[in-house]
Amino acid sequence: MVKRKWKEIFHSFDKRPTPSRCAILEVFEEGKRHLSAEEVYEQLRRKNKKVGIATVYRNLDLLSRMGILRRVNFGDGREHYELVQPSETHHHHLVCVNCGRVIDYSELMDEEREFLDRLEKELEKKHNFRIQSHQVYFYGLCKNCQ
Amino acid sequence: MVKRKWKEIFHSFDKRPTPSRCAILEVFEEGKRHLSAEEVYEQLRRKNKKVGIATVYRNLDLLSRMGILRRVNFGDGREHYELVQPSETHHHHLVCVNCGRVIDYSELMDEEREFLDRLEKELEKKHNFRIQSHQVYFYGLCKNCQ
DNA sequence: CTAGGTGCAAAGCATTTGCACCAAG
DNA sequence: CTTGGTGCAAATGCTTTGCACCTAG
């Protein structure tokens, strides 16, 4: 089931909540995080949804432009996508430089948001730049790779 | 001229400071920032250094693994590289989502470092993760694109 | 000499595009 | 019936690799 809110977003962009698009959103709704296009395609096949890989790419791009998904890049040579949670203004990752494992974290988010908000205001003024979002990545070794 | 410190790093990795490698480092030393492989290649041609593009890729990778360069990704489909400044433990960017322009900034770095250091310690303990570095990206519209 | 480096061309991958066909408003 | 959406295959673009040749220690 695709949330009413999403249908509204689709219509506000003059786009249709097609079966392919809903199926893709369902994959992310089921708890899968930061998936690559190929991984989304794989999940769809596993659920017996036949969607071409080109359609997956086109819709991941569309959903990102609509603000439903967010592109993230972990330096493994392909784009990954994750659901933008309604209450969330940003989202951060620990990336293992050895095995590529990615951990999402939310520690100290309040403090972090407070600090980054202040920094954003400063940067906007100084560089005449309108900041829309930000991403923070930590790189290192996960417990298995140390 | 390639700094003595770099030669030492090369030798500690059992690699040679070849003309190609020195020429690549010189491009970055001349103030060029976050260049793609193709852009490095172009700069070399402009300086009449004949280095194959494959060698550029191989050496950008090598220099990154040696910690002399850092890979950065601005979401434009290719990797970029920049010099790691000796005194610098991290480096941040404002990326224009419209034209792709990238601004480096250094405001509030002390406060930022203090905050991020604290966050890193917390994350390391909680996730048993050994953090080596981090990157912060702000996305938005530059003054020309607003 | 001998391992490390390089250039060139070919190969590899992730992603995009052209086009004919399908489907919803 | 007309615009938007899709599948398929071909094309693209960045990056890597195989291999023969070159070069510094």
Side-chain angles (χ1 to χ4, degrees), chain B residues 16 18 20-21 52 55 58:
Chain B
R16 301 173 192 156
T18 65
S20 305
R21 291 168 182 168
T55 298
R58 278 188 283 239

Side-chain angles (χ1 to χ4, degrees), chain A residues 16 18 20-21 50-52 55 58-59:
Chain A
R16 302 173 191 157
T18 65
S20 303
R21 290 168 183 168
K50 340 175 194 36
V51 183
T55 298
R58 278 187 283 238
N59 285 330

Side-chain angles (χ1 to χ4, degrees), chain B residues 11-26:
Chain B
H11 287 120
S12 76
F13 276 82
D14 280 308
K15 301 290 174 185
R16 301 173 192 156
T18 65
S20 305
R21 291 168 182 168
C22 295
I24 290 172
L25 284 173
E26 274 165 22

Side-chain angles (χ1 to χ4, degrees), chain B residues 59-72:
Chain B
N59 284 332
L60 289 175
D61 180 59
L62 175 66
L63 292 165
S64 301
R65 282 184 288 110
M66 298 197 311
I68 294 178
L69 296 182
R70 172 197 302 119
R71 278 196 160 84
V72 288

Side-chain angles (χ1 to χ4, degrees), chain B residues 21-55:
Chain B
R21 291 168 182 168
C22 295
I24 290 172
L25 284 173
E26 274 165 22
V27 168
F28 285 98
E29 266 200 310
E30 283 157 13
K32 307 287 183 188
R33 295 219 62 131
H34 40 74
L35 299 171
S36 66
E38 201 66 42
E39 287 166 340
V40 171
Y41 180 66
E42 211 172 278
Q43 293 296 322
L44 291 172
R45 309 206 92 244
R46 192 162 298 169
K47 301 175 69 181
N48 279 55
K49 313 268 182 173
K50 336 175 196 37
V51 183
I53 187 71
T55 298

